[in-house]
Amino acid sequence: MSLVVAAIVGLSVPADEATGLKSAVCRILHPLSGAEACSTGDYAGDDGDGGNGDGGNGGGGPGDPFVPNGDPFEPARCLLSQDQTKDTVVIQVAFIKISTSETVKLQQWSDGTVTLERVTETGGGVTASISAGIPGLKDWGGSAKLSGTFLAGSGNGGQWLFNGNKSGDPQADLAANLEDAQKFAAYLKANDGCKYQSGYNPGAAMGACTQDAASKKPDLEPELAPDVDITKTSIEASGNVSFGGKFKSNGKSGKDSGKSDGPKDLGKISGEVLNGTMTEDVVVMRTNTGANAGKITFIYTFTVKGSAGLGGVATGERMQQVAVTYDAAAYDQEEKDGAEHRPEKLVITTSQEAGDGTGIKVEGGANAGPVTIDVGGGGGSTQSQIHTESAELILDNDTDSTLVEDWLRGRGDAPASNPLPSPSDAAEVPGSDASPLERLLHDKGKLSRLDYKANTDWWNASLGVGFGISAGQFTLGFKLFGIEITHEGKEQTITGNPTYATGPKSGGARPWVEWKNCTQTKPIPT
């Protein structure tokens, strides 16, 4: 875990420490089931459709005839802003952790459409910590603690598309569609409240509750069933380091006895100064309605993030993502026949985020013999800058489709590896050592670059009953029981000058120019 923290906070993971998406995307995300994980039916049931992750450009569907501004290399749309909230509850019993979370995203797109996405996830795993006294601060009870957690989870949800307002003015359509999406989100929340009420009080009169919820629906409401079904699996490894001090008694056993049993630990207070997380996600999205109906997209994401500081927080994050789209009916039939799959679209997205702000996370505890009672909490706000790059390939022939499928499955001389091919590099003239995929990205890919500013607010609260075993300066401790609640809200808005790469010019280079389909519409503050 010390390697994890050092690597993540430094935002530099050594190649030999396995940073995900190396050798083959599916093998990395599913090491137990091997390279065939993505070709089994485990993720191809009644699941989801495509997306391009944070900052992805969306583009058109396979075979999209739309050629914006007369340039087939200009992506059709971009993500203008995203408002995301995530609520997580973690329960710990001894070394076992069980977590539940709900993530809601409200996204505004430059073509005037709005998407609302909601995913709930449940996970389980193990956790442990070890602490040691700091020799130079022995007289003051100085101590340090290193903790680590491993979690695996799965979840599901849906995405609703709001595009019913079509006046021909993307800015006006965006405002109207956003209003509909916000009303529908309020309806879903109210409707969930009614279901919860009926769960703990089956005899309650539900008519008034459901009627009130229904009143929040927008005029142009979507179907209650989502336009896109989402299934998600994830693996997360995290670590943190905290420093603090312990409080000791004078050890006297009686008021006037003068006897002493030696100093006793009474409690502690500590603050987290370093934390880091590595996450591997597999999201499957199956589209039910709209222009991309009947498509299934697998999205593989590897994220490394961390923060450092007590009182003043510095944060950083790196993300690599691959999204590959198939015709759902053909994919399902190929599964039954054991035949090779034929992807129709590939999107590679990378992003880097760096920021700072104020925040603190502390923990205080009191001892009763070997048993400790800990109460913790904190909160903060950070401002950051996000740079996102995306490369989109429409695979309209068998040669390109087979090349991409072999790359994903780890076949051939140039399988998927870490780091992923850079969209920026794809705009340069390919070198003599360029892989077939890198040449394909250069020749046919829609390449784009975006910058966002983001504000993140969070708070955390925890309560635990623990047990500690001391051995010299070291203490092995674990919670008998604990509960932790975390809320995070993040708003990101496009900034700077969005650009895309034109087609190859004389000499092979692809110049970057203004992305007009991205700048024609302005995000609406929420």
Side-chain angles (χ1 to χ4, degrees), residues 43-85:
Y43 302 102
D46 50 353
D47 305 318
D49 169 78
N52 300 303
D54 295 339
N57 61 54
D64 186 359
F66 178 53
V67 181
N69 299 322
D71 187 350
F73 287 93
E74 180 174 4
R77 67 173 189 171
C78 70
L79 179 67
L80 296 176
S81 73
Q82 177 174 281
D83 188 352
Q84 174 179 302
T85 60

Side-chain angles (χ1 to χ4, degrees), residues 37-392:
C38 297
S39 62
T40 67
D42 294 344
Y43 302 102
D46 50 353
D47 305 318
D49 169 78
N52 300 303
D54 295 339
N57 61 54
D64 186 359
F66 178 53
V67 181
N69 299 322
D71 187 350
F73 287 93
E74 180 174 4
R77 67 173 189 171
C78 70
L79 179 67
L80 296 176
S81 73
Q82 177 174 281
D83 188 352
Q84 174 179 302
T85 60
K86 182 176 183 180
D87 293 288
T88 305
V89 177
V90 177
I91 295 176
Q92 180 176 338
V93 180
F95 295 102
I96 305 301
K97 274 191 173 183
I98 301 171
S99 70
T100 60
S101 66
E102 180 182 72
T103 303
V104 178
K105 294 181 183 179
L106 185 64
Q107 297 175 314
Q108 301 179 36
W109 300 87
S110 60
D111 61 354
T113 61
V114 176
T115 53
L116 173 66
E117 182 178 306
R118 184 172 67 166
V119 175
T120 58
E121 189 174 3
T122 302
V126 294
T127 185
S129 64
I130 186 170
S131 61
I134 301 176
L137 299 178
K138 183 176 180 181
D139 294 340
W140 291 271
S143 65
K145 183 173 76 171
L146 178 67
S147 301
T149 299
F150 177 86
L151 294 172
S154 62
N156 57 75
Q159 183 185 89
W160 289 266
L161 173 65
F162 296 84
N163 64 347
N165 297 282
K166 299 178 180 179
S167 66
D169 179 357
Q171 190 69 55
D173 292 342
L174 180 64
N177 289 326
L178 178 60
E179 183 179 359
D180 287 344
Q182 291 172 322
K183 288 181 178 179
F184 191 71
Y187 158 71
L188 290 177
K189 185 175 182 180
N191 197 48
D192 286 345
C194 294
K195 293 178 181 178
Y196 175 74
Q197 180 179 333
S198 65
Y200 77 82
N201 185 10
M206 298 302 298
C209 184
T210 55
Q211 185 176 359
D212 179 65
S215 69
K216 295 178 171 57
K217 290 183 180 180
D219 294 334
L220 291 175
E221 63 182 84
E223 296 290 335
L224 185 59
D227 298 279
V228 179
D229 293 323
I230 300 173
T231 299
K232 177 181 180 181
T233 61
S234 64
I235 298 174
E236 176 183 301
S238 61
N240 65 74
V241 177
S242 58
F243 294 94
K246 297 180 179 180
F247 303 103
K248 297 179 180 292
S249 71
N250 59 14
K252 291 184 178 180
S253 57
K255 182 177 180 181
D256 300 316
S257 66
K259 296 180 179 180
S260 174
D261 299 324
K264 296 181 179 179
D265 288 339
L266 297 178
K268 64 179 181 179
I269 184 169
S270 62
E272 183 178 270
V273 295
L274 298 172
N275 72 75
T277 304
M278 293 192 295
T279 306
E280 295 173 336
D281 291 336
V282 181
V283 174
V284 185
M285 307 182 76
R286 183 182 290 258
T287 302
N288 303 315
T289 63
N292 289 321
K295 305 299 180 184
I296 183 171
T297 298
F298 297 83
I299 305 173
Y300 311 96
T301 307
F302 179 75
T303 306
V304 180
K305 61 182 179 181
S307 64
L310 183 63
V313 179
T315 64
E317 177 176 320
R318 284 183 178 177
M319 185 273 288
Q320 298 182 98
Q321 183 182 89
V322 174
V324 57
T325 300
Y326 304 86
D327 178 86
Y331 186 96
D332 293 341
Q333 188 61 48
E334 289 159 359
E335 284 291 290
K336 293 179 182 179
D337 299 340
E340 290 293 323
H341 298 300
R342 291 291 180 266
E344 297 182 343
K345 179 180 175 182
L346 173 73
V347 179
I348 295 175
T349 304
T350 63
S351 74
Q352 297 187 59
E353 179 175 359
D356 54 49
T358 58
I360 189 171
K361 186 176 180 180
V362 297
E363 182 181 87
N367 296 348
V371 176
T372 63
I373 299 176
D374 297 323
V375 177
S381 177
T382 60
Q383 294 75 46
S384 58
Q385 298 292 324
I386 305 172
H387 177 72
T388 297
E389 299 185 358
S390 185
E392 176 186 327

